[in-house]
Amino acid sequence: MAPTGKVSISLLSDEDIPICFQILSQSFGHDKPFVDIYFPNHDTPQGQVQGSQRLTTWKHASKNTTFLKAVVSPDTKDAHDGSPERIIGFGIWTLMKTAPPAELEKAENIETWPDEDDREFMARLWKDYVIPRSQAVEDSGGKGAYDYQRLGAGTALVEWGTNAADELGVKAVVESSPAGRRVYQKCGFRTEIEEMRFDTGERFAKRRKPILIFMSREPQPQGINNTQR
């Protein structure tokens, strides 16, 4: 059911992360191969604890990353239960000043994937996944690029980041699913790569690969609303 109250964006607290991870798991289910392999067993209690811990560690370790939540305040007539707001999604914006490492072990704790095949599959996906991001950083002339991980609630979370990117004068980039493309197009993003390439070799030929579109948005002059209605 779509939220009926006003959606607002605010900073995510550590205490919010377990709730947000549950939203992530419920939103994507097993429809997104990258989510399934990046967050192993995300729909189990153990997987949700591990995933929440990873997000919390990332939040504390990266000074250039902003964790956001989208909350909806219910209409007055619906607020009788004493809950003034409800989290409906969250997102992560990162100012990348340097290219992300191509080696998984330099970016993640590889013990997240105790199964050797899962770990190797994730490593091969990761190597190709970061190529467009790295190119965006390289092309920025030292300014960096603002990378977004959309985890629900759509436009409001995207616009927070595009406004920040405009203030910084940097390009915003995202890896979008086909279903998410329209949200980014409305916010001024254009497709750079129609379908990102993942070369995982014959060993993993039968595994599902992510279907992702690499999109970017150039910084806009301040005071211009570039959301397309």
Side-chain angles (χ1 to χ4, degrees):
M1 179 180 296
T4 59
K6 180 180 178 182
V7 175
S8 59
I9 304 299
S10 58
L11 295 177
L12 190 71
S13 70
D14 290 358
E15 292 73 23
D16 293 326
I17 288 180
I19 297 173
C20 288
F21 193 86
Q22 290 179 13
I23 293 172
L24 178 154
S25 180
Q26 293 168 3
S27 297
F28 291 112
H30 292 289
D31 294 333
K32 299 294 184 290
F34 195 85
V35 173
D36 277 348
I37 189 63
Y38 189 70
F39 291 113
N41 304 311
H42 61 79
D43 58 348
T44 68
Q46 181 180 359
Q48 292 190 357
V49 169
Q50 182 190 65
S52 297
Q53 290 173 341
R54 286 173 64 196
L55 290 178
T56 302
T57 298
W58 179 11
K59 179 173 177 287
H60 285 272
S62 177
K63 295 180 179 180
N64 291 329
T65 297
T66 303
F67 281 66
L68 302 168
K69 62 181 177 180
V71 300
V72 60
S73 299
D75 296 334
T76 303
K77 62 181 180 181
D78 297 325
H80 59 273
D81 61 355
S83 300
E85 64 181 29
R86 177 167 58 92
I87 299 175
I88 60 171
F90 76 110
I92 304 168
W93 280 97
T94 300
L95 177 60
M96 301 183 299
K97 301 293 288 185
T98 59
E103 301 82 5
L104 181 65
E105 63 269 20
K106 294 182 180 180
E108 297 284 347
N109 177 6
I110 59 174
E111 297 303 321
T112 299
W113 300 272
D115 180 85
E116 183 179 346
D117 279 353
D118 287 348
R119 183 184 302 173
E120 179 60 24
F121 182 59
M122 182 66 231
R124 296 187 188 192
L125 288 177
W126 181 261
K127 182 178 179 181
D128 288 338
Y129 181 76
V130 299
I131 289 175
R133 294 186 185 190
S134 300
Q135 190 64 51
V137 174
E138 182 178 336
D139 293 344
S140 72
K143 292 183 179 180
Y146 221 17
D147 176 67
Y148 182 53
Q149 305 292 307
R150 186 175 85 88
L151 302 168
T155 304
L157 288 165
V158 178
E159 289 182 337
W160 185 98
T162 55
N163 289 336
D166 289 345
E167 292 180 5
L168 294 168
V170 300
K171 176 189 286 189
V173 298
V174 67
E175 298 87 2
S176 172
S177 68
R181 185 204 295 256
R182 178 171 169 77
V183 172
Y184 298 112
Q185 288 177 330
K186 287 176 61 179
C187 294
F189 283 79
R190 297 292 180 265
T191 299
E192 286 195 21
I193 302 174
E194 183 63 38
E195 184 172 338
M196 293 172 60
R197 180 175 177 271
F198 294 99
D199 183 8
T200 56
E202 289 194 17
R203 177 178 172 184
F204 301 107
K206 294 184 178 181
R207 290 209 182 194
R208 293 192 308 158
K209 297 179 184 178
I211 299 176
L212 295 173
I213 305 158
F214 189 77
M215 306 181 73
S216 67
R217 176 186 177 277
E218 296 294 336
Q220 304 297 314
Q222 293 293 289
I224 296 179
N225 184 350
N226 291 283
T227 301
Q228 301 173 8
R229 303 296 180 187

